[in-house]
Amino acid sequence: MLMTREVDYGLRILRALHQEGQLSAASIAQKENMPKAITLKILKQLHAAGLTDSRRGSSGGYLLRVPCETLFLVDLFRALEESPLVNRCQRPGYLCENFPEGGCGLCRELTRIQSVLDAELRKTPLSAIFQEI
């Protein structure tokens, strides 16, 4: 599994909103050193997933709809339609072409690793991840 640039940017956007409250897209992009166009693209996806909200006008901007105390990395992956899978074997309904009767040893081991990964992605709320030392 590779964390995509979109997930990285999504994390940075959520961090900025968690730390600062309501911000414009330009302010988020500047604070997090991200291109404004990509910031807007990711904000649109986060909004569609129900994680952020937007307000129009001179005092408008983006804000969290869901507190980071209740969000986990898996929620961000899902919001950005990324699949945090270690291999295609973990896709629902996948049928191993080498061992269709129940999967091969590799599929079984990757499934075990996937369950550990899934637990870790649900373990720590984003608010704890965003804490500065």
Side-chain angles (χ1 to χ4, degrees), residues 7-79:
V7 173
D8 175 50
Y9 286 161
L11 273 171
R12 295 203 257 157
I13 288 169
L14 293 177
R15 177 178 62 191
L17 295 174
H18 174 72
Q19 292 174 342
E20 304 291 333
Q22 184 173 311
L23 291 170
S24 68
S27 295
I28 295 168
Q30 182 179 20
K31 176 178 174 33
E32 295 294 335
N33 300 306
M34 298 169 22
K36 185 178 175 188
I38 292 180
T39 302
L40 286 166
K41 175 188 168 195
I42 303 299
L43 279 165
K44 184 178 178 181
Q45 291 175 287
L46 294 173
H47 180 74
L51 300 183
T52 63
D53 212 347
S54 62
R55 295 194 178 138
R56 294 180 181 218
S58 59
S59 62
Y62 293 87
L63 61 152
L64 292 172
R65 186 182 292 175
V66 179
C68 287
E69 290 77 13
T70 64
L71 288 175
F72 299 85
L73 283 170
V74 71
D75 299 318
L76 181 61
F77 276 101
R78 287 183 182 145

